[in-house]
């Protein structure tokens, strides 16, 4: 009868709707779970990236400190070398002065002998 067919059709529609609702809820739950996992992975990725950046900053600071230390060492050695050179030049000037004085004395002495 038509009434039975109508009731069967309504029951089928209700069953299909319930099935659709259940599948939609399951799909929504799967999507929510996937979004949470993605957020977590992105968070871990961001943390890993932040750790890498921090590590690179440390390496840069260490390299800068090494360069500064090497420059200070170089400057100290250069100053020491300059001081040694200045001292050697002064000693040489003094020796040349003494040599010139001795030479002048010799010339003077030879002049006296000649006279």
């Amino acid at each position: 009868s038509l009434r039975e067919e109508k009731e069967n059709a309504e029951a089928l529609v209700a069953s299909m709707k319930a099935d659709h609702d259940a599948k939609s809820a399951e799909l929504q739950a799967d999507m929510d779970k996937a979004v949470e996992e993605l957020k977590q992975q992105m968070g871990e990725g961001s943390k890993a990236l932040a750790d890498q950046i921090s590590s690179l900053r440390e390496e840069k600071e260490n390299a800068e400190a090494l360069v500064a230390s090497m420059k200070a060492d170089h400057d100290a050695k250069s100053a020491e070398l300059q001081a040694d050179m200045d001292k050697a030049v002064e000693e040489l000037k003094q020796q040349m002065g003494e040599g010139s004085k001795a030479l002048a004395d010799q010339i003077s002495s030879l002049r006296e002998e000649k006279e």
Side-chain angles (χ1 to χ4, degrees):
S1 81
L2 284 174
R3 184 175 285 167
E4 284 178 7
E5 284 183 31
K6 181 183 174 205
E7 287 172 359
N8 288 343
E10 287 173 349
L12 182 61
V13 166
S15 170
M16 288 172 66
K17 184 178 183 318
D19 191 41
H20 173 267
D21 290 347
K23 286 186 176 166
S24 289
E26 188 179 332
L27 185 61
Q28 186 63 49
D30 288 347
M31 283 177 57
D32 290 346
K33 183 178 175 189
V35 166
E36 282 307 309
E37 286 176 3
L38 191 58
K39 281 183 183 176
Q40 186 177 348
Q41 288 172 7
M42 286 174 66
E44 289 169 1
S46 296
K47 185 182 180 309
L49 187 59
D51 288 348
Q52 273 187 318
I53 290 169
S54 178
S55 175
L56 287 172
R57 274 199 189 113
E58 270 183 46
E59 286 179 31
K60 178 180 179 252
E61 287 169 5
N62 290 342
E64 287 171 346
L66 180 62
V67 167
S69 169
M70 290 170 69
K71 183 181 183 316
D73 191 43
H74 173 265
D75 290 349
K77 285 183 178 167
S78 291
E80 188 179 331
L81 186 61
Q82 186 63 49
D84 289 348
M85 283 176 56
D86 291 347
K87 184 178 174 189
V89 166
E90 283 306 309
E91 287 176 1
L92 192 57
K93 282 182 182 175
Q94 188 177 345
Q95 288 171 8
M96 287 174 66
E98 289 169 0
S100 297
K101 185 178 180 305
L103 186 59
D105 288 349
Q106 274 186 325
I107 291 169
S108 177
S109 175
L110 287 172
R111 277 199 186 120
E112 283 177 17
E113 286 176 19
K114 185 180 172 197
E115 292 171 1

